[in-house]
Amino acid sequence: MTRAVGIDLGTTNSEVAIVENGQARVLPGEDGDLILPSCVGFSETGKLLVGREALRQYEAAPERTVKSIKRWMGTDHKTLLGDREYLPHEISAIILRSLKQRAETALAESIAQAVITVPAYFTDAQRQATKTAGEIAGFEVLQIINEPTAAAIAYDLRSEETERVLVYDLGGGTFDVSVVEITGEVTEVLASHGNNRLGGDDFDRRLQLHLKELFRKQHGMDVPDDPVTNARLLRTAEQAKIDLSTHAFTTVREAFLGSKGKTALHLEAEIARTDFENLIHPLLDETLEAIDRALSDATLQPDDLDRIILVGGSTRIPLIQHMIESHLGQAPTDGIQPDLCVALGASLQAGVLVGEAVDAILVDVVPHSLGIAAAMSTPMGIVPGFFSVVVPRNSVIPVSRSEVYSTLFDSQETVEIEVFQGENPIAEENVPLGSFKVEDLPSQPAGSVQVEVHFDFDLNGILTVTATEKGKGQQGSLIVSNTGVHRLSSHEISQARADLEALFEQDEAIESSASDSPIVTLSPELSVLVDRARTLADSLDDEQADELQDLLDQIEAVAEGNSDEDLEVLQSELEDFLYYASREN
Amino acid sequence: MTSPHDRLGISPDAAPAEVKTAYHAKLREFPAHTHPEEFKAVRAAYDAIRKGETAKDDDFLNVRPLEVTLDPDSLKQLREKALAQIDISLDELIRETF
Ligand SMILES: Nc1ncnc2c1ncn2[C@@H]1O[C@H](COP(=O)(O)OP(=O)(O)OP(=O)(O)O)[C@@H](O)[C@H]1O
Ligand SMILES: [Mg+2]
């Protein structure tokens, strides 16, 4: 039996897990780390970096590094990295390929199949892009499942009593809430709601703006608006945010953010947890509204919930826990692994699909309503462009539904079926999924020709719409997944896969040639320090300038392989030097 | 035609708890990924019983009414949209005349 992995492809962090003897576990990388940061970059020498290594250079080289690509999935947003532009699913494919390698190394066997998770509220295009990324990475994607649902499967209730559980998942980039009913091994989703663009990244950005504002107040000028400074402030903001989850105050200290004449300017500020809470409160209110909608879609009251599960790194923020508790009148359950449970659940589902001894039955729903544009008779006369829902949101998938529509005009020869996804009563305000025509309708008075429109939505999120004229049997149909921008032909996928393989192989070549050579490359942090020191040199007095030059020479000697002094020692000397030099100025 | 109760293998007066147990047993028998058609039928039967409906396999024969009660909000939105369009064309008209 071939084994299949489960993958949580997160905005900030990704994990890969496997089921062994009915037990799920997350597979570590060679460094022992269970989490792979969802970050991709190229080193100065053009070496591909994935995960922690890429994240480490983000501050120093934001133009060669990309993170949070998941936010762009399903769009044709291009990211320039080194000498090439990448589409979002191509970057995701690099992350997935790296997780595949991690799994294969950890298990010492090749792995070809995977279940990959997406936010429950992801649209059709975003799901397709994720599937395509998996295929480019060399996987057969067995199923795309929803993150909160995966978390619920991993949550082992072991009770035959039915429990109603609310899963609140707030990660780096997305927010989902699902109301789930668990009875023994059956996990049934009753309703899902969410926001694909709300998460820890937004908190970081708000805090970053706040830091800029503090700098402006301190120095009467703006922080320079360049990519490196922005990247530094974003990292500082994220760190401060994380500190504030366990401390009531934190101190932010960033040297050399700018300069005024010859004086270097720093940011030094104390941030209170309450300051941060005020910044994010409005965003959190939205999540409470989403909870209410999910509950009302499931026709449940807050008291009907037996349990609340928090998933995602951002739920470590104390304010979130308090707001949920006071909104629902119940404290969230402890003992959930908020970072790992999604990958664990995905691996359990993968186990089910390949026939491992895993008892898990999953019943999930479609998050958005699906339907067509139709005319309706109103007090203002017949008005076209209404959204007529065929498959209501939160219908269990797979699902097939039909509706019958009639012609609008006398002797109408064609009808155009325009398919949309969304909740707005005005068709055009929803996401268009495609359209097609049924032609040669029999010539008859308005309203007397009937067309049956059939929607078929399968487990993989592939929607097939068929329209049939009921008299003569004229037909038209549309397979929505084939019209999406990111549905590549199998030829295109194998081409992309070959390109990706080449990228990984080229990377090995660079790595081995690098290890042959005595030349040491500077760490990204050290490179930043050296750059900063060079810009500062002009503003120093002679004695200091000499001292600095001496330090830089020593570092250069190590880098060129002409000295074996400890780089870390030199780096901390340089840090100290820069800190004191800037204080004096 | 099979009734929803037949489909789940229970008597028409089965209690809700029995319905759920039977539904779960059918889910085990017909997983969605291997038996999608049976799964859909089981689910439809379960939905129908819970809604207290009788089997309406010929449901699709009912033509979707062209007359629907419109909620005032959507009507307002539509009207605003129409007005916005008129606004734009007026604006353009003015620009073109000058
Ligand atoms: N202690 C903490 N306090 C506040 N935020 C935290 C803490 N630890 C991690 N985070 C934030 O959690 C986010 C990452 O969470 P997680 O790994 O669950 O997200 P993800 O799965 O990558 O994203 P998504 O599910 O949205 O695609 C980041 O924004 C990170 O800054
Ligand atoms: Mg996540």
Side-chain angles (χ1 to χ4, degrees):
Chain A
M1 182 173 60
T2 56
R3 298 207 278 172
V5 291
I7 293 180
D8 173 3
L9 180 62
T11 309
T12 316
N13 299 308
S14 298
E15 298 83 19
V16 55
I18 189 122
V19 166
E20 282 168 328
N21 308 320
Q23 285 291 317
R25 74 176 173 110
V26 175
L27 297 171
E30 277 167 36
D31 49 4
D33 205 341
L34 297 177
I35 287 172
L36 180 78
S38 306
C39 191
V40 172
F42 286 97
S43 74
E44 221 164 349
T45 55
K47 178 177 174 234
L48 176 67
L49 305 174
V50 186
R52 209 151 301 280
E53 268 187 297
L55 190 59
R56 222 175 279 135
Q57 78 161 20
Y58 173 70
E59 243 179 281
E63 75 290 351
R64 279 188 271 117
T65 318
V66 56
K67 56 179 201 172
S68 298
I69 195 63
K70 185 169 166 182
R71 284 232 165 169
W72 296 103
M73 286 295 269
T75 69
D76 42 23
H77 174 84
K78 295 187 180 66
T79 307
L80 183 69
L81 277 186
D83 53 5
R84 221 203 100 174
E85 282 184 336
Y86 292 83
L87 286 165
H89 62 261
E90 295 174 320
I91 310 260
S92 292
I94 296 177
I95 298 167
L96 290 169
R97 173 68 176 72
S98 181
L99 290 169
K100 183 169 185 269
Q101 203 163 21
R102 164 178 288 210
E104 290 176 340
T105 307
L107 299 169
E109 67 181 70
S110 72
I111 295 288
Q113 296 176 315
V115 167
I116 305 176
T117 62
V118 294
Y121 215 54
F122 250 24
T123 61
D124 200 58
Q126 291 171 310
R127 286 165 197 268
Q128 285 304 333
T130 306
K131 187 159 187 240
T132 302
E135 287 166 0
I136 294 174
F139 282 117
E140 177 196 344
V141 180
L142 297 176
Q143 197 178 344
I144 297 285
I145 67 170
N146 295 326
E147 287 161 13
T149 316
I153 313 179
Y155 180 63
D156 203 355
L157 210 57
R158 292 252 168 255
S159 141
E160 280 305 311
E161 290 288 296
T162 296
E163 273 208 9
R164 282 162 180 156
V165 179
L166 184 128
V167 184
Y168 179 104
D169 180 354
L170 187 62
T174 61
F175 164 68
D176 278 322
V177 53
S178 291
V179 180
V180 178
E181 200 173 84
I182 308 178
T183 312
E185 77 270 38
V186 180
T187 302
E188 191 165 347
V189 180
L190 304 180
S192 272
H193 193 44
N195 182 343
N196 295 332
R197 293 184 153 266
L198 175 62
D201 283 358
D202 300 284
F203 308 157
D204 299 345
R205 219 161 299 126
R206 291 209 166 188
L207 195 51
Q208 179 198 34
L209 285 177
H210 182 68
L211 295 179
K212 287 185 173 179
E213 189 55 34
L214 290 176
F215 182 93
R216 213 166 57 85
K217 282 197 187 128
Q218 281 174 12
H219 301 295
M221 62 177 282
D222 288 333
V223 190
D225 187 22
D226 60 82
V228 170
T229 310
N230 280 321
R232 278 177 66 198
L233 275 179
L234 198 59
R235 283 280 280 176
T236 310
E238 184 181 9
Q239 193 50 55
K241 169 187 81 173
I242 291 173
D243 291 346
L244 288 173
S245 287
T246 43
H247 298 97
F249 294 93
T250 186
T251 305
V252 168
R253 211 177 268 125
E254 273 296 307
F256 305 105
L257 278 177
S259 56
K260 204 180 221 172
K262 291 198 163 183
T263 317
L265 300 180
H266 320 297
L267 175 68
E268 189 162 346
E270 191 175 64
I271 315 279
R273 183 188 284 172
T274 48
D275 297 337
F276 174 63
E277 291 178 345
N278 291 336
L279 295 173
I280 64 170
H281 209 290
L283 299 176
L284 298 181
D285 282 335
E286 273 181 49
T287 70
L288 298 185
E289 285 165 25
I291 290 181
D292 292 343
R293 197 182 96 173
L295 280 175
S296 103
D297 280 359
T299 57
L300 292 181
Q301 300 295 321
D303 325 341
D304 297 327
L305 294 171
D306 297 297
R307 205 176 283 275
I308 298 164
I309 297 181
L310 302 185
V311 182
S314 295
T315 60
R316 294 205 175 87
I317 296 174
L319 178 63
I320 296 185
Q321 300 172 10
H322 295 148
M323 285 175 80
I324 294 172
E325 181 169 350
S326 70
H327 193 71
L328 295 173
Q330 178 177 159
T333 299
D334 283 335
I336 312 290
Q337 293 179 290
D339 306 299
L340 307 179
C341 59
V342 172
L344 292 171
S347 73
L348 288 167
Q349 180 65 7
V352 170
L353 297 181
V354 297
E356 294 260 358
V358 177
D359 285 331
I361 296 172
L362 175 56
V363 179
D364 214 335
V365 299
V366 47
H368 306 275
S369 300
L370 301 165
I372 64 171
M376 283 185 186
S377 150
T378 75
M380 288 160 46
I382 289 188
V383 181
F386 273 94
F387 184 44
S388 170
V389 172
V390 179
V391 177
R393 68 168 189 253
N394 294 319
S395 298
V396 163
I397 51 167
V399 61
S400 301
R401 292 281 167 89
S402 296
E403 291 291 347
V404 177
Y405 298 84
S406 55
T407 44
L408 198 55
F409 310 111
D410 289 341
S411 314
Q412 185 174 341
E413 283 181 356
T414 54
V415 286
E416 173 148 37
I417 310 284
E418 295 171 276
V419 183
F420 293 91
Q421 161 181 290
E423 310 306 329
N424 198 298
I426 313 292
E428 278 200 350
E429 298 294 314
N430 297 301
V431 179
L433 296 180
S435 71
F436 63 98
K437 285 195 171 109
V438 186
E439 294 176 317
D440 296 331
L441 299 177
S443 174
Q444 276 173 36
S448 57
V449 176
Q450 296 189 342
V451 177
E452 183 190 322
V453 178
H454 182 84
F455 274 55
D456 198 272
F457 193 82
D458 76 7
L459 264 192
N460 295 312
I462 293 174
L463 172 65
T464 309
V465 181
T466 322
T468 314
E469 189 276 307
K470 297 186 74 164
K472 278 166 63 186
Q474 244 68 17
Q475 269 206 346
S477 75
L478 171 78
I479 298 171
V480 167
S481 64
N482 287 344
T483 65
V485 237
H486 296 291
R487 188 70 201 174
L488 305 182
S489 70
S490 61
H491 173 73
E492 286 168 312
I493 289 187
S494 20
Q495 184 57 49
R497 190 181 299 165
D499 291 351
L500 185 62
E501 283 309 313
L503 199 58
F504 272 76
E505 272 159 30
Q506 170 195 340
D507 170 33
E508 274 158 25
I510 293 174
E511 203 160 19
S512 54
S513 77
S515 60
D516 290 344
S517 114
I519 295 182
V520 180
T521 40
L522 300 188
S523 73
E525 287 100 337
L526 185 52
S527 316
V528 175
L529 288 173
V530 169
D531 286 348
R532 246 183 257 165
R534 291 208 174 105
T535 57
L536 184 73
D538 294 342
S539 63
L540 299 173
D541 61 36
D542 288 352
E543 192 184 326
Q544 280 186 321
D546 283 347
E547 197 185 325
L548 179 60
Q549 196 52 55
D550 186 42
L551 256 178
L552 292 178
D553 288 346
Q554 287 183 53
I555 291 170
E556 196 175 324
V558 178
E560 287 176 353
N562 301 328
S563 153
D564 51 7
E565 263 192 85
D566 191 339
L567 260 191
E568 278 183 32
V569 174
L570 290 173
Q571 175 168 343
S572 77
E573 277 179 32
L574 183 60
E575 273 166 13
D576 288 347
F577 178 89
L578 290 174
Y579 187 71
Y580 289 109
S582 63
R583 298 239 101 175
E584 287 160 20
N585 277 307
Chain B
M1 194 178 297
T2 349
S3 81
H5 287 89
D6 287 347
R7 184 96 70 190
L8 297 187
I10 46 176
S11 70
D13 51 6
E18 264 178 87
V19 173
K20 191 177 255 178
T21 310
Y23 165 60
H24 285 170
K26 290 286 175 192
L27 288 183
R28 242 164 256 139
E29 195 178 340
F30 301 116
H33 53 95
T34 48
H35 297 75
E37 292 314 315
E38 290 89 342
F39 174 90
K40 283 186 237 178
V42 165
R43 179 66 204 188
Y46 181 59
D47 281 340
I49 294 172
R50 283 194 314 166
K51 276 194 209 130
E53 284 175 4
T54 45
K56 272 205 258 160
D57 266 13
D58 54 350
D59 203 19
F60 61 83
L61 287 179
N62 302 331
V63 177
R64 186 155 258 222
L66 267 177
E67 271 81 26
V68 286
T69 36
L70 256 193
D71 76 288
D73 270 0
S74 359
L75 205 60
K76 206 172 126 222
Q77 269 193 54
L78 263 186
R79 198 176 286 139
E80 276 165 7
K81 246 184 95 176
L83 285 178
Q85 233 146 38
I86 295 172
D87 265 2
I88 291 170
S89 32
L90 262 183
D91 231 45
E92 279 173 352
L93 207 69
I94 294 170
R95 231 177 281 138
E96 265 158 32
T97 2
F98 277 95

